[in-house]
Amino acid sequence: MPVTRRSVLSLLALGPVLAACGVGGSSSDSGPGKEKAVRIAYQSFADSTLLLKDQSTLEKALPDHKITWTAFDSGASINTAFLGGAIDLAVIGSSPTAQALCPPLNIPYKVIELLNVIGDSEALVARKASGVTKPADLVGRKVAAPFGSTAHYSLLAALQQAGVDPGAVTLVDLEPQNIQAAWQRGDIDAAYVWTPVLSVLQQDAVTLTDSAKLAAAGKPTLTFTVARTGFIDDNPDVIAKWLEATDHAIGLVKTDPTVVAEAVSRQIGSSKEDAAAQLKQNIYLDHAEQRGPEYFGTKESPGRLADRLRDAAEFLHGQKKIESVPDLETFRAALLAPGAVDGK
């Protein structure tokens, strides 16, 4: 069944987490004596932004703002929250971002930075007992992934690369924690998912491919920060503080990763060693590097990031996950290079 904007909006009635975020409210709902709200969606995987949450960086930098952090299981649920007006700023993967910028969703948000290039922190794994040793063996098997996520995109790309028709595989839409439970029950044969759930599955699995290998084959996936267009316009100070803090955190991943790993371990409930290992699985670029030709580029000379998003949209359209693919300028207009808000 094709996904429509109406069907996505209908999910809001089923999502109590959205009520916790303040569906129906607005970050601009403030008057004399009231704090301005900043509603942030994050995901519980190893990421530099968890350092900000752990150290209350934004709360300290913006004392007159009420900062709310809400955990989501996938980019698809984050997009649903954006449609419901529940969040302002989010950590989200490139595949759900591409989907959001296309019909029927057409979510009015912009990509304001690249948090990482996803490596082997996302992978396709099969249960050892299944006898599956390569992607081509998945024909007739049950394979889980969170639909609309970077893992889902990569799963479809892995099947395409192996010459497997997705219709010949039973694809199951499950969030990461539900994937782990289904794996332990023996309900699925394989899954494409990210850490920390991936690390648990790999204890009893064969790794068939990962996102680093698919990136090398021309199907890269990335993690972004996105923000509502109206929020960006109304709150340039918040965006500037966020970008200052995240650029510092990205730098620490390279220069003092122990500090970031300790914060991540507290936030996702893992050991410091596991958090450090997970951080090493992705590629981190500071804001200066992100303005290079492979990514945002400059206003005068746009980089290839818009092309990558459009390539992802073309792929999703071929898999009947979106209605149509906008022109390249639509994707370029959705990119706001770090520093562009304050004119740098």
Side-chain angles (χ1 to χ4, degrees):
M1 178 185 295
V3 177
T4 65
R5 186 182 178 91
R6 180 177 296 177
S7 68
V8 172
L9 284 169
S10 70
L11 295 175
L12 295 173
L14 304 176
V17 69
L18 302 184
C21 294
V23 171
S26 168
S27 59
S28 60
D29 287 345
S30 59
K34 288 187 178 180
E35 294 177 304
K36 295 180 180 179
V38 182
R39 302 164 300 172
I40 303 168
Y42 73 100
Q43 300 184 58
S44 295
F45 50 65
D47 180 73
S48 56
T49 59
L50 290 184
L51 179 67
L52 280 60
K53 182 175 183 291
D54 186 73
Q55 297 188 351
S56 300
T57 307
L58 285 184
E59 289 83 350
K60 294 171 183 174
L62 300 163
D64 57 339
H65 291 66
K66 179 177 175 54
I67 313 295
T68 303
W69 294 76
T70 303
F72 286 79
D73 288 326
S74 69
S77 58
I78 287 173
N79 278 338
T80 302
F82 268 116
L83 285 170
I87 53 177
D88 306 306
L89 195 72
V91 174
I92 190 170
S94 52
S95 181
T97 297
Q99 189 170 14
L101 298 175
C102 299
L105 299 185
N106 295 317
I107 299 175
Y109 63 47
K110 292 182 183 292
V111 177
I112 63 172
E113 70 181 331
L114 168 62
L115 291 169
N116 61 64
V117 180
I118 299 172
D120 55 5
S121 62
E122 293 191 8
L124 174 60
V125 294
R127 293 168 55 84
K128 287 180 180 177
S130 71
V132 172
T133 60
K134 56 185 184 297
D137 296 337
L138 294 173
V139 172
R141 304 299 186 115
K142 286 186 179 179
V143 185
F147 283 11
S149 68
T150 49
H152 185 207
Y153 169 85
S154 294
L155 170 59
L156 295 174
L159 294 176
Q160 182 188 61
Q161 187 181 65
V164 175
D165 180 355
V169 180
T170 301
L171 300 180
V172 184
D173 180 12
L174 293 175
E175 299 291 354
Q177 292 301 323
N178 293 331
I179 286 176
Q180 183 175 334
W183 182 280
Q184 292 169 342
R185 291 192 304 267
D187 292 347
I188 56 177
D189 300 301
Y192 210 122
V193 70
W194 51 83
T195 56
V197 169
L198 173 62
S199 300
V200 176
L201 303 192
Q202 286 177 322
Q203 296 172 19
D204 179 37
V206 176
T207 300
L208 307 181
T209 190
D210 59 48
S211 296
K213 293 183 176 67
L214 290 171
K219 297 292 183 182
T221 47
L222 312 103
T223 306
F224 296 133
T225 298
V226 299
R228 287 192 301 107
T229 303
F231 183 81
I232 294 170
D233 294 339
D234 295 341
N235 300 274
D237 56 332
V238 175
I239 299 299
K241 290 295 185 183
W242 170 272
L243 292 174
E244 178 184 353
T246 52
D247 196 32
H248 177 67
I250 289 169
L252 285 177
V253 174
K254 301 177 181 182
T255 63
D256 195 0
T258 300
V259 171
V260 184
E262 288 174 347
V264 169
S265 70
R266 287 189 289 267
Q267 292 297 317
I268 68 175
S270 71
S271 69
K272 287 183 286 187
E273 292 74 20
D274 284 345
Q278 290 176 36
L279 285 167
K280 290 179 181 177
Q281 292 174 318
N282 298 317
I283 299 169
Y284 300 86
L285 306 169
D286 63 32
H287 289 175
E289 293 171 311
Q290 290 179 34
R291 297 187 194 105
E294 284 298 305
Y295 301 103
F296 284 95
T298 64
K299 184 176 182 180
E300 295 73 23
S301 181
R304 295 191 61 243
L305 194 52
D307 299 83
R308 291 182 177 185
L309 281 169
R310 193 172 192 277
D311 287 346
E314 291 276 12
F315 185 85
L316 291 169
H317 184 250
Q319 299 295 328
K320 297 181 171 55
K321 303 302 178 186
I322 58 175
E323 289 179 355
S324 61
V325 180
D327 60 26
L328 186 60
E329 286 307 312
T330 297
F331 293 96
R332 284 180 175 165
L335 301 180
L336 189 63
V341 174
D342 54 18
K344 292 181 181 177

